[in-house]
Amino acid sequence: MLTKHLAQVLDTLNMKALLIWAVLLNFYKLLQTSDCTSTHDQVLSIQVTTHQQADIVRNISSQYETVLWSPASPEYIGAHTEVHLFVPANNLGTVTDLLQTHHLTHQVLLDNTEELIEMQTRNESSDPRSSASYYERYHSLEDIYYWINKTAQEHPDMVKVILIGSSYEKRPLYVLKLSGRQERAEKRAIWIDCGIHAREWISPAFCLWFVQYSLNFYNLNNDITEMLNSMDIYVLPVMNPDGYKYTWTTNRMWRKNRSLSKESNCVGTDLNRNFDANWGTKGASNRPCDEIYCGQFPESEPEAEAVANFLRSHKDSVKLYLSIHSYGQMLLFPYSCSNEEVPNHAELFELVQDAAMKIRRYYRNNYKYGASAKTIYLAPGGSDDWAYNLGIHYSFTFELEDRGRYGFLLPPSLISKACNEALLALKSIALRVIQKTQPQP
Ligand code: ARG
Ligand code: ZN
């Protein structure tokens, strides 16, 4: 009797010990292999240090179902490149194994991409707890079209809507023309475009931010008042509406437009490789499946053609060209399409240096600056280079926040800082350009 009871007690104790042991073992395993067992899509930051490693990462990014976040294309991966790679959950094990085998170190930048995407697309206007304004959220293409209309109606004295063309899928390309209330003969102008690349959502958000700022602070803030009194400002909030729509409905990581190709089943041209500036040379691709596909010929894409036509017909008035991208935190100027220096390189350098200094001082944030080819990589066919060669000698591309912490999935709570910084840089450059291009009496 007693021995039987004792045996039972011992047995349960054993069972308990075994259970605890099993739990501990599993926990340990989980710790060891947390990357591989994650059920989430992840964004990895991979440190490439040798040419062989660059080859490996290039192969991984093209052979496995992954999306390169940075740099924009595998051909830009060299020795000493920090690569940001989006890896869907089902490929994580394979990819991280490959990285380990080739002694490539990596960190997990994001393990909650689904959650971040949900945060970016949530419509918080229906959430009474949210205090975020319209401009501190991301908006669907339909919302943006509605906003364009409403903004023009509410400010008939300062805003005009201009239809400059339509996209491949026949969506309208609307430009908002902002003007101060002072009439001036032969008014100069600024051009700002956003959303060339579909997944860079902070870019259209900036265009909306900029328009509301201009309208709300005209005659209240000296800088914006002076800008609008001396220049008309053309704002194209979404240059690539088809791609933008597609990032909301189907694939958040989409970059190009959505044009179909005759030679291939792959969709889309990189609009920032489709302009006529050393078109199709090194730094662009002639393969339709690539992220930096330059299209069939310069301005083959209706979106690029519409912008080019508009600028050609306004080239005497437009003094400042600005294209808004993300991410990377950089203030760039031509050339992207060659390593040559533009004739007014020193002048442009001073402008971006000054703007970056202001961002550092006011927002404690570092922006890189310089000629684009030397600061990032060769990228022919870009809109900024083309505008420069057209004669708009103050031509810039801004890469907004961040540097990769969230990348394209910048949470809505960070929109205001990203936009305010860029606004500061824009004002700083625009005011100097206004002085420099003063018409001679
Ligand atoms: N990251 C952007 C791209 O790959 C901009 C690169 C700079 N190129 C330029 N044309 N500004 O298209
Ligand atoms: Zn871009």
Side-chain angles (χ1 to χ4, degrees):
M1 184 70 186
L2 187 91
T3 47
K4 198 179 168 201
H5 188 74
L6 193 69
Q8 264 180 357
V9 169
L10 276 175
D11 235 290
T12 43
L13 275 179
N14 252 330
M15 280 296 286
K16 270 190 187 158
L18 207 72
L19 251 165
I20 292 170
W21 177 240
V23 167
L24 279 175
L25 198 74
N26 263 321
F27 188 58
Y28 179 63
K29 263 195 192 159
L30 206 74
L31 273 180
Q32 262 196 326
T33 57
S34 61
D35 291 355
C36 313
T37 52
S38 173
T39 51
H40 297 291
D41 305 341
Q42 291 189 340
V43 178
L44 307 180
S45 171
I46 304 164
Q47 280 72 46
V48 174
T49 46
T50 67
H51 288 287
Q52 290 92 315
Q53 289 182 332
D55 286 338
I56 304 290
V57 176
R58 254 183 260 125
N59 284 340
I60 292 176
S61 86
S62 46
Q63 277 165 24
Y64 294 89
E65 184 204 325
T66 59
V67 183
L68 201 52
W69 272 23
S70 178
S73 161
E75 67 180 76
Y76 294 134
I77 301 174
H80 314 294
T81 309
E82 184 182 322
V83 174
H84 298 165
L85 188 68
F86 172 86
V87 187
N90 61 312
N91 279 321
L92 260 177
T94 324
V95 169
T96 49
D97 281 352
L98 274 168
L99 293 177
Q100 221 159 44
T101 312
H102 294 95
H103 307 289
L104 278 146
T105 51
H106 75 273
Q107 290 100 310
V108 179
L109 277 178
L110 297 176
D111 183 39
N112 56 342
T113 55
E114 292 96 334
E115 196 183 316
L116 286 169
I117 291 172
E118 204 271 325
M119 256 164 66
Q120 281 192 321
T121 50
R122 199 178 325 172
N123 183 1
E124 280 174 332
S125 57
S126 52
D127 181 351
R129 287 164 306 178
S130 162
S131 58
S133 76
Y134 184 90
Y135 300 93
E136 291 167 304
R137 281 180 270 129
Y138 295 106
H139 295 281
S140 66
L141 187 64
E142 289 69 25
D143 269 18
I144 294 177
Y145 279 129
Y146 180 83
W147 171 87
I148 289 173
N149 220 323
K150 199 183 69 172
T151 302
Q153 276 173 11
E154 285 173 358
H155 301 269
D157 52 336
M158 292 183 71
V159 182
K160 258 182 61 186
V161 178
I162 306 170
L163 179 68
I164 64 159
S166 54
S167 68
Y168 183 84
E169 292 173 348
K170 302 289 177 241
R171 293 192 175 85
L173 298 170
Y174 292 124
V175 165
L176 295 172
K177 180 185 184 184
L178 311 178
S179 316
R181 300 194 193 98
Q182 282 187 11
E183 278 307 319
R184 295 214 184 149
E186 280 193 59
K187 215 159 182 196
R188 291 163 292 160
I190 300 175
W191 167 277
I192 305 171
D193 60 62
C194 294
I196 291 194
H197 291 138
R199 62 194 178 186
E200 301 166 4
W201 282 12
I202 188 63
S203 168
F206 174 77
C207 266
L208 270 57
W209 185 278
F210 177 75
V211 170
Q212 68 91 30
Y213 178 85
S214 302
L215 298 173
N216 287 347
F217 288 92
Y218 180 67
N219 281 346
L220 288 176
N221 171 280
N222 288 336
D223 295 344
I224 202 69
T225 307
E226 186 181 341
M227 280 168 66
L228 284 161
N229 283 340
S230 354
M231 313 270 250
D232 289 325
I233 307 181
Y234 297 106
V235 181
L236 172 56
V238 190
M239 194 196 288
N240 176 10
D242 302 347
Y244 189 68
K245 167 101 196 171
Y246 194 71
T247 58
W248 275 78
T249 58
T250 315
N251 178 358
R252 179 65 187 81
M253 306 304 159
W254 192 258
R255 166 182 168 96
K256 301 186 281 182
N257 78 347
R258 294 290 303 163
S259 68
L260 304 179
S261 131
K262 288 188 193 102
E263 340 136 33
S264 155
N265 288 327
C266 287
V267 176
T269 293
D270 184 344
L271 295 177
N272 212 29
R273 300 291 182 282
N274 191 236
F275 286 79
D276 198 0
N278 289 357
W279 178 86
T281 56
K282 187 172 186 289
S285 164
N286 52 17
R287 292 179 300 267
C289 297
D290 291 354
E291 293 284 26
I292 53 170
Y293 174 50
C294 61
Q296 280 202 305
F297 50 87
E299 294 176 31
S300 58
E301 306 309 298
E303 299 87 354
E305 190 193 16
V307 170
N309 280 339
F310 184 87
L311 288 172
R312 269 189 288 264
S313 62
H314 292 76
K315 72 182 169 86
D316 295 330
S317 59
V318 176
K319 302 297 176 197
L320 170 57
Y321 172 91
L322 180 58
S323 192
I324 306 290
H325 289 251
S326 77
Y327 58 95
Q329 299 181 193
M330 288 181 268
L331 308 178
L332 306 167
F333 58 84
Y335 285 122
S336 282
C337 66
S338 93
N339 286 310
E340 247 175 79
E341 279 190 3
V342 292
N344 62 337
H345 176 94
E347 190 187 17
L348 297 181
F349 190 86
E350 211 190 298
L351 287 175
V352 289
Q353 184 175 44
D354 226 60
M357 189 195 68
K358 290 197 170 104
I359 293 179
R360 200 174 324 120
R361 193 180 291 157
Y362 286 91
Y363 295 98
R364 299 179 179 281
N365 205 4
N366 280 321
Y367 273 60
K368 279 200 211 168
Y369 50 88
S372 185
K374 285 180 203 148
T375 310
I376 355 180
Y377 39 61
L378 273 175
S383 60
D384 50 357
D385 286 357
W386 176 83
Y388 185 92
N389 288 342
L390 183 71
I392 304 172
H393 288 160
Y394 300 99
S395 176
F396 302 89
T397 292
F398 285 5
E399 298 273 0
L400 305 196
E401 287 206 18
D402 56 13
R403 275 202 298 254
R405 170 70 183 84
Y406 294 105
F408 303 120
L409 302 182
L410 195 73
S413 57
L414 301 180
I415 292 177
S416 68
K417 176 159 175 287
C419 289
N420 276 325
E421 268 167 16
L423 178 65
L424 182 64
L426 167 54
K427 286 206 263 182
S428 159
I429 291 173
L431 290 171
R432 300 273 301 275
V433 170
I434 287 171
Q435 288 167 359
K436 287 164 180 284
T437 60
Q438 214 67 257
Q440 303 305 316

